[in-house]
Amino acid sequence: MQALNTLALTVILGVTLTVAPFAQPVQAQPWRPVRGSILFGISGMVLLEQQEGSTSFLIVHDNKGVGEGRLAMIRVTGEQAPEYFPINWSNQPLPVDLEALTAVPGQSEPTFMALTSSGTVYHFRLNGNHQNVSVLNVFNLPNLPEGTNLEGFALQQIDDKLLAVWAHRGNNEEPGVLYWGVLDLETNEITPQGSASLTVPFPVDNVRHISDIKVDSAGVVYITSASDKGNDGPFQSAVYVVGGFSLQDNRIVFRQNQALIPIYYLNYHKVEAIELVPGTAGGIFLGTDDENMGSSIWGFDGMF
């Protein structure tokens, strides 16, 4: 099984590096506005449900004040504008600066984890009508260096291990850093297993090398990167495949792409959320935190 996973990962990464040089800018494509205020930026997103003709996502906002939203659902149906449904975070105290969101794989009842920029993780579920949150556990990521500013968090099942990946965003000459470990859901303890630094070639100025992260079921790692020149922009972003995880000798290891090639270039938007949606209506889906210009979403290969 381990050899098969490694072979599959090698093939996937090889294909990605082959096709990536032909990637095209997508700034002329029709992004769909969600909300037009700085309070509605999308800093993390996960697929919630797919139905005939519609797709719903759970999203987090990086708000910090009392009375400001933390969580919402957006639904896209056909060519209609996205519908926005706020979700009440009834547990106190409220999380501050949520920057990432991931589904918890392998659960009989769907649950999710949201991460703050300082490293606090909220494990929660939604009630039946998606109007409220029940927080199951709160814990902190291990061994964070001073000055860490997190913008990515992802979970994925790698064989019998629950992989947790978190990312320091970096800034200009300071690289972004991927950290990973194995999460025990019963104890909420993460056993660290490694880290890797990376810098992206695009954007060039005011760059956050990692603005979000997702890992697919084969262990392939996707990130977004973004340029942030202030609340009024201008913004730029890109999507990369940066490597992949596999299990070797009962330890999760990361194989990094040394020459990063943008899959997509994205002008005019600051992408801070990525989700990978399977199926014929799926693809790479993105959400933006465009500060004073609000938020938008995009689905590359599917229904958008």
Side-chain angles (χ1 to χ4, degrees), residues 91 107 109-112 122-125 133-138 188:
N91 300 78
Q107 302 295 290
E109 178 185 4
T111 66
F112 309 90
Y122 293 82
H123 184 193
F124 66 92
R125 65 169 175 256
V133 165
S134 295
V135 175
L136 305 175
N137 290 292
V138 180
N188 296 319

Side-chain angles (χ1 to χ4, degrees), residues 72-247:
M73 184 182 76
I74 52 177
R75 180 188 297 132
V76 180
T77 304
E79 299 298 321
Q80 301 175 24
E83 299 176 274
Y84 178 92
F85 305 93
I87 296 173
N88 180 39
W89 194 290
S90 54
N91 300 78
Q92 298 293 329
L94 291 172
V96 175
D97 199 19
L98 291 174
E99 289 288 357
L101 182 64
T102 182
V104 180
Q107 302 295 290
S108 57
E109 178 185 4
T111 66
F112 309 90
M113 289 190 184
L115 174 72
T116 71
S117 59
S118 62
T120 301
V121 178
Y122 293 82
H123 184 193
F124 66 92
R125 65 169 175 256
L126 303 176
N127 67 9
N129 56 11
H130 295 169
Q131 293 183 350
N132 294 282
V133 165
S134 295
V135 175
L136 305 175
N137 290 292
V138 180
F139 61 95
N140 295 315
L141 295 178
N143 306 333
L144 294 177
E146 185 176 354
T148 296
N149 196 325
L150 299 167
E151 287 207 356
F153 183 62
L155 299 176
Q156 186 57 261
Q157 198 75 35
I158 303 293
D159 287 350
D160 62 342
K161 309 289 186 184
L162 181 55
L163 168 70
V165 186
W166 56 103
H168 167 64
R169 72 188 190 187
N171 182 52
N172 291 332
E173 288 76 23
E174 177 195 1
V177 183
L178 290 180
Y179 301 90
W180 65 92
V182 175
L183 172 60
D184 185 335
L185 283 177
E186 293 187 0
T187 63
N188 296 319
E189 292 184 358
I190 295 177
T191 303
Q193 303 221 322
S195 65
S197 298
L198 63 89
T199 58
V200 298
F202 179 88
V204 176
D205 299 321
N206 302 96
V207 60
R208 300 176 180 180
H209 297 283
I210 306 173
S211 62
D212 199 18
I213 181 172
K214 284 293 189 294
V215 182
D216 72 13
S217 59
V220 178
V221 184
Y222 296 75
I223 69 164
T224 55
S225 305
S227 174
D228 184 354
K229 297 182 179 181
N231 289 345
D232 295 314
F235 304 117
Q236 291 179 312
S237 302
V239 179
Y240 294 88
V241 169
V242 297
F245 289 101
S246 62
L247 190 64

Side-chain angles (χ1 to χ4, degrees), residues 2-86:
Q2 295 179 20
L4 181 60
N5 285 348
T6 302
L7 176 61
L9 179 58
T10 301
V11 171
I12 291 168
L13 295 180
V15 171
T16 300
L17 290 176
T18 300
V19 302
F22 301 99
Q24 297 296 317
V26 297
Q27 63 266 26
Q29 302 294 338
W31 289 82
R32 295 197 183 189
V34 175
R35 282 292 184 273
S37 162
I38 197 171
L39 296 179
F40 295 96
I42 300 172
S43 55
M45 63 190 293
V46 297
L47 176 68
L48 196 56
E49 58 185 9
Q50 288 178 294
Q51 298 179 347
E52 179 105 16
S54 72
T55 304
S56 297
F57 296 94
L58 189 65
I59 63 172
V60 290
H61 304 304
D62 61 359
N63 294 324
K64 304 173 181 66
V66 176
E68 298 171 352
R70 266 51 174 187
L71 194 67
M73 184 182 76
I74 52 177
R75 180 188 297 132
V76 180
T77 304
E79 299 298 321
Q80 301 175 24
E83 299 176 274
Y84 178 92
F85 305 93

Side-chain angles (χ1 to χ4, degrees), residues 243-261:
F245 289 101
S246 62
L247 190 64
Q248 296 181 14
D249 299 324
N250 206 39
R251 186 177 180 86
I252 295 177
V253 298
F254 178 61
R255 179 190 173 198
Q256 184 172 349
N257 286 342
Q258 297 303 312
L260 297 183
I261 302 169

